[in-house]
Amino acid sequence: MALPVRVRRLSEQEGQKLQQIVRRGSTNSVRFRRAMMLLASAGGSTVPVIARLVQADEDTVRDVIHRFNEIGLACLAPRWAGGRPRLLSRDQEDLVVQTATTRPTALGRPFTRWSVRKLADHLRRSTSPSIVIGREALRCLLARRGISFQRTKTWKEPPDPSFESKLARIEYALNERAERTFAFDEFGPLGVRPTAGSCWAGRGRPERLPATFRRTHGITYFHGCYSVGGDTLWGVNRRRKGIDHTWAALRSIRAARPDGAPVYVILDNLCAHLNWKIRRWAVRMKVELCFTPTYASWANPIEAHFGPLRQFTLANSNHPNHTVQTRALHAYLRWRNQHTRHPDVLAAQRRERARVRSEKRIRWGGKPLPAAA
């Protein structure tokens, strides 16, 4: 007569582990049931009794007991069969990813982007062999391969043949002659109108500004000058851009260094900056005009300081006229020049610098960003 199937004698560690699993009620139901089988067998229960206790087949109980006698507590871990077999091969998955990242127009389809439904239909109808995949499976496949639905961005390629030389000259002025380097640019147009922004308010009770439909005050432009070495920003509001206003700003820069030594001024290629009279005056007064390359205004260091100017004087404002707006702007400039290292000012400058440079996807000096992996 065959002996009944029972577990071997449990060691102290094995008994404590099985008791711990049963008492705590493991979240893994397979481990919990198998631990109950082993403890019941160690307590003298027969296989039919254990099968009724855990609602399992007697052969399953015998298999668990035999496995424990062979390999110990390792028998508690389930051996999964691996799930449903793959429906798509690796090559077919590669084809799906390649198709998803290819413009539909390049494949003869009359639209500019894929939706999940259109992509699944194209794979089913236009590939050989046909790839049949559901929309949710397709979405999961693309996510697993690192493909996501993203917004397309644009940038301008600079057509300037002197792009590198101009950037090199600006870098030299900023790195080697920072104490004698200035930046100039116009900021605007500045209109008289309520401007949305952000401020502290009660939850669900945001501050509201009235809307305007008639704007009879016109516009102004802030002609700003920035001393790189002194970290000082100043300027004046004008009704328009023009040669005379540019000339006045350059004279104020020259007056900031009255010792007669050369100074460097970084500015863009506005026609008012390229006038022959200004160029001749600059040569006579030892003012070197360092023009930024075409479509590369991000190379002008004053651009980063226009961000805080916009954030702290225009956003969340409702100036009644240009006079009040100008006073508020100059009040901020006085505060800013006394708190050049204020954390709020530095944070706003970093955000603006990142914004203007991200438009071109280029870091300072014309070095392209590394391609995404």
Side-chain angles (χ1 to χ4, degrees), residues 207-221:
E207 183 177 343
R208 298 186 180 276
L209 300 176
T212 58
F213 299 95
R214 298 183 60 194
R215 300 172 185 172
T216 58
H217 296 275
I219 60 173
T220 61
Y221 292 91

Side-chain angles (χ1 to χ4, degrees), residues 170-181:
I170 293 175
E171 280 189 325
Y172 168 80
L174 293 176
N175 297 328
E176 305 296 333
R177 296 291 185 268
E179 71 283 354
R180 308 197 65 82
T181 299

Side-chain angles (χ1 to χ4, degrees), residues 85-362:
R86 297 171 62 93
L87 298 180
L88 298 181
S89 64
R90 177 63 64 175
D91 292 339
Q92 288 177 317
E93 288 188 357
D94 293 339
L95 178 59
V96 171
V97 173
Q98 180 182 357
T99 305
T101 54
T102 303
R103 279 187 168 269
T105 52
L107 300 176
R109 309 300 294 172
F111 31 83
T112 59
R113 67 179 186 181
W114 296 111
S115 66
V116 176
R117 191 189 302 272
K118 289 186 176 69
L119 180 58
D121 183 71
H122 175 80
L123 294 171
R124 184 174 63 255
R125 296 174 180 271
S126 304
T127 58
S128 181
S130 177
I131 298 178
V132 180
I133 184 172
R135 284 179 287 168
E136 186 60 29
L138 176 58
R139 187 180 294 108
C140 294
L141 169 60
L142 295 177
R144 188 170 66 251
R145 300 293 292 271
I147 307 298
S148 60
F149 199 76
Q150 303 178 31
R151 186 176 297 276
T152 304
K153 297 183 178 180
T154 61
W155 72 92
K156 294 179 180 178
E157 288 289 349
D160 196 335
S162 305
F163 182 86
E164 294 295 337
S165 61
K166 288 182 177 180
L167 279 186
R169 193 58 184 171
I170 293 175
E171 280 189 325
Y172 168 80
L174 293 176
N175 297 328
E176 305 296 333
R177 296 291 185 268
E179 71 283 354
R180 308 197 65 82
T181 299
F182 298 82
F184 168 73
D185 200 5
E186 295 87 358
F187 174 65
L190 305 178
V192 176
R193 61 183 181 86
T195 305
S198 56
C199 66
W200 295 102
R203 186 182 299 274
R205 296 178 179 272
E207 183 177 343
R208 298 186 180 276
L209 300 176
T212 58
F213 299 95
R214 298 183 60 194
R215 300 172 185 172
T216 58
H217 296 275
I219 60 173
T220 61
Y221 292 91
F222 174 71
H223 290 60
C225 305
Y226 174 64
S227 172
V228 176
D231 195 12
T232 305
L233 183 66
W234 74 93
V236 62
N237 278 21
R238 305 288 189 180
R239 283 288 182 177
R240 59 178 178 83
K241 301 179 182 180
I243 298 173
D244 50 347
H245 301 323
T246 300
W247 206 341
L250 294 178
R251 286 198 298 268
S252 73
I253 291 176
R254 177 70 272 186
R257 294 291 186 272
D259 53 6
V263 297
Y264 303 83
V265 180
I266 302 172
L267 67 171
D268 59 25
N269 296 275
L270 185 70
C271 59
H273 305 166
L274 302 173
N275 182 265
W276 64 273
K277 294 182 180 180
I278 293 180
R279 288 172 175 266
R280 188 173 63 180
W281 172 87
V283 172
R284 187 174 69 253
M285 301 302 295
K286 297 182 180 180
V287 176
E288 181 176 340
L289 303 179
C290 302
F291 294 100
T292 60
T294 307
Y295 299 152
S297 60
W298 45 267
N300 193 336
I302 200 175
E303 292 288 345
H305 300 273
F306 285 159
L309 192 68
R310 181 186 301 105
Q311 177 179 342
F312 295 127
T313 62
L314 298 180
N316 197 39
S317 68
N318 185 16
H319 301 127
N321 51 57
H322 281 296
T323 302
V324 176
Q325 185 184 69
T326 302
R327 289 174 180 170
L329 189 148
H330 283 274
Y332 166 74
L333 291 180
R334 289 191 295 270
W335 179 89
R336 183 249 176 237
N337 291 333
Q338 295 173 0
H339 303 81
T340 55
R341 308 307 297 174
H342 193 280
D344 290 345
V345 175
L346 297 179
Q349 290 174 10
R350 286 194 297 269
R351 285 193 296 270
E352 183 68 11
R353 189 179 294 112
R355 184 190 68 80
V356 297
R357 293 182 186 177
S358 67
E359 291 180 355
K360 182 60 185 68
R361 299 186 72 252
I362 280 188

